[in-house]
């Protein structure tokens, strides 16, 4: 279609948001809108500035023959911090405390609008890492993992405690559950992760760290590397965890002593978050 | 921020895409951009036309005091049909056939770009229904359910075969597995679905229909209604299914006789899909 600037801006925004972390050549847009490359360049400048000012993310220019524009979704410090405050208040509700000190979070982690913001925050926390896949273990971690994977535009891979016939051939590892001291098994479909992948582990809740440790072992079995480990929340934990505090990030820290819930911020920092609201002139 | 038209178009596109099926008052945008309502109305006309021409979805105008604009994501017939053809080719690969006639689809259903298109298609198939929640059963259906729920901007709810302590109180139903004639159990957290919800069931694969039938029973136990049942694929099935063909839609029909895979289109139709590419003048 021969498109006017206004239509191009709308459609380019849509296209880049639906295809994040992908280099889109200038010629793709020039052909799509039957427009001169110089006009497309001007459009991209408008998008870049607006994305920056609204904290939507960064629109990078990749130079060279294989170059183009790449949209990396993110979230600014101010929006992230306001969202974290809101979720912290929503979590701090004693009716969430379940027997054994577990915490009910399903009502938050099943809402697309909340998952998108958590995904933007975790993507920003790991924005300086190369990530080829997101890995989680069934079931509760899947929605968060999918949200992060959608923003990073990489496959997400689901390990299970029991293998199903629909997995095909699998690789399994045993690990010791950190909180319950039991030997458990975790399996992953052989076809689901290519060798030499950089893998971000994402899960909803950290207790003893046994599952995360098992996922790290699985990644090694696939000749791949752990790029990071992210949790929505961690529980106040007595004793030695299976993973070190330096190796993971959590958004919240939850303590449920005596049936009273106390929600603090987790160990993440805002180091990777920008708070620039205007492009430098 | 006082924003120019170009910046408004970019940010409004972003905002509406991230908040689908939500009425956004004109005053929200007027305040956000410090602009006159008449300018915002003109912006929305540009968005509406571009969304229609590119098949992004429909931008409806809701009149009245509580009115505003509502973006309903969809997909045009042409784009949907091209995508369906591509997935059909990708599925028609004998190396996908697993023992027992099962089919490996994880590599497709773990890619955000594929899940988004499947979500747009299922959302369009049910665009004439009121849907308050999407329901699936762990594990394989979750990614598809989440993709549909994200586009519809409604919560998605995950039933399980085994209840976990983090579910809190649950309601359970027994059902007969259609393909294996076993009595199975399915549980859903009591807090996860309010009464009188209209619920769309989404799953990856239909065999005997036992799981879907169990999910329908669960919905009744929650004093709610089944708005529809959608599968990515159904298997060629001999014998009586637990659900009727009139009650579900499938995108693909897969036959795996003798280790050879044959992939046909499922029972869905393009009735709800528009193929208008230009707004009527």
């Amino acid at each position: 279609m021969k498109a006017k600037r206004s239509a191009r801006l709308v459609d380019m925004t849509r296209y880049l948001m639906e295809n994040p972390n992908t280099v889109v050549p200038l010629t793709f847009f020039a052909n799509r809108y039957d427009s001169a490359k110089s006009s497309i360049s001007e459009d991209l400048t408008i998008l870049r500035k607006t994305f920056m000012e609204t904290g939507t993310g960064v629109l990078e220019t990749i130079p060279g023959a294989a170059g183009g524009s790449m949209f990396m979704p993110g979230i600014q410090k101010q929006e992230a911090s306001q969202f974290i405050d809101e979720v912290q208040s929503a979590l701090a509700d004693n009716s969430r405390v379940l027997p054994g000190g577990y915490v009910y979070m399903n009502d938050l982690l099943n809402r697309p609008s909340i998952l998108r913001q958590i995904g933007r925050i975790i993507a920003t926390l790991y924005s300086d890492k190369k990530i080829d896949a997101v890995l989680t273990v069934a079931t509760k971690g899947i929605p968060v993992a999918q949200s992060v994977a959608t923003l990073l535009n990489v496959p997400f891979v689901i390990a299970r405690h029991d293998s199903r016939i629909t997995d095909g051939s699998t690789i399994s590892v045993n690990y010791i559950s950190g909180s319950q001291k039991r030997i458990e098994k975790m399996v992953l479909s052989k076809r689901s992760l290519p060798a030499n992948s950089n893998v971000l582990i994402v899960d909803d809740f950290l207790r003893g760290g046994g599952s995360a440790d098992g996922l790290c072992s699985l990644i090694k079995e696939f000749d791949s590397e752990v790029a990071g480990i992210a949790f929505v929340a961690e529980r106040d934990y007595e004793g030695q965890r299976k993973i070190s505090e330096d190796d993971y990030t959590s958004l919240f820290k939850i303590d449920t002593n005596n049936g009273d819930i106390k929600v603090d911020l987790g160990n993440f920092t805002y180091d990777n978050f920008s708070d620039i609201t205007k492009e430098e002139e």
Side-chain angles (χ1 to χ4, degrees), chain A:
Chain A
M1 61 178 188
K2 176 85 179 168
K4 283 199 272 196
R5 165 145 296 154
S6 55
R8 292 198 309 259
L9 290 174
V10 171
D11 193 59
M12 284 165 85
T13 301
R14 199 260 320 154
Y15 187 88
L16 290 166
M17 284 185 64
E18 289 190 345
N19 297 278
N21 285 322
T22 305
V23 179
V24 186
L26 209 59
T27 48
F28 172 85
F29 285 131
N31 293 337
R32 182 173 171 90
Y33 308 124
D34 195 7
S35 300
K37 282 193 192 182
S38 56
S39 307
I40 301 293
S41 281
E42 289 166 23
D43 298 341
L44 288 167
T45 302
I46 295 169
L47 263 74
R48 184 175 302 114
K49 189 162 177 289
T50 308
F51 285 170
M52 180 177 285
E53 287 178 3
T54 56
T56 302
V58 175
L59 187 60
E60 272 210 9
T61 306
I62 315 289
S69 289
M70 186 166 80
F71 171 57
M72 290 176 301
I75 187 166
Q76 278 179 339
K77 186 176 170 178
Q78 192 188 0
E79 187 180 354
S81 142
Q82 189 186 331
F83 170 78
I84 290 281
D85 286 351
E86 286 166 15
V87 177
Q88 188 178 5
S89 303
L91 282 172
D93 173 351
N94 286 342
S95 76
R96 295 187 176 280
V97 180
L98 300 169
Y102 286 83
V103 177
Y104 184 81
M105 307 199 299
N106 288 9
D107 60 322
L108 301 175
L109 298 187
N110 75 3
R111 280 164 57 190
S113 55
I114 289 184
L115 287 168
R116 189 184 60 242
Q117 295 296 68
I118 291 177
R120 290 173 74 190
I121 291 172
I122 294 178
T124 305
L125 286 172
Y126 291 91
S127 56
D128 53 352
K129 305 274 184 186
K130 182 180 180 317
I131 294 166
D132 304 309
V134 171
L135 173 67
T136 191
V137 59
T139 306
K140 293 258 196 292
I142 299 177
V144 187
Q146 180 166 349
S147 177
V148 176
T150 300
L151 285 163
L152 298 176
N153 207 7
V154 298
F156 66 102
V157 180
I158 304 169
R160 309 173 57 115
H161 292 289
D162 55 328
S163 73
R164 291 290 175 95
I165 197 157
T166 43
D167 285 332
S169 308
T170 57
I171 290 180
S172 76
V173 296
N174 292 308
Y175 67 98
I176 296 173
S177 140
S179 47
Q180 294 172 45
K181 311 287 181 206
R182 278 199 317 242
I183 294 183
E184 309 239 19
K185 195 173 127 172
M186 202 179 264
V187 301
L188 185 56
S189 171
K190 267 194 81 167
R191 306 192 209 185
S192 61
L193 192 64
N196 303 312
S197 298
N198 294 293
V199 184
L200 177 64
I201 295 172
V202 173
D203 211 346
D204 63 329
F205 211 80
L206 169 65
R207 279 169 288 267
S211 293
D213 193 42
L215 289 169
C216 291
S217 304
L218 260 184
I219 291 172
K220 281 188 201 108
E221 292 295 331
F222 280 81
D223 298 318
S224 290
E225 295 287 332
V226 180
I229 312 177
F231 299 96
V232 176
E234 64 173 304
R235 190 177 157 188
D236 199 56
Y237 190 75
E238 291 183 11
Q240 184 69 37
R241 279 208 169 107
K242 301 288 171 191
I243 55 172
S244 148
E245 174 138 28
D246 299 337
D247 293 335
Y248 71 85
T249 53
S250 65
L251 304 185
F252 302 99
K253 193 169 279 181
I254 299 183
D255 187 357
T256 55
N257 270 341
N258 311 319
D260 280 336
I261 196 164
K262 186 166 157 285
V263 183
D264 290 315
L265 294 195
N267 71 352
F268 81 103
T269 69
Y270 285 109
D271 293 352
N272 277 356
F273 293 69
S274 81
D275 50 10
I276 301 161
T277 54
K278 292 279 175 193
E279 194 167 19
E280 285 164 50
E281 303 292 317

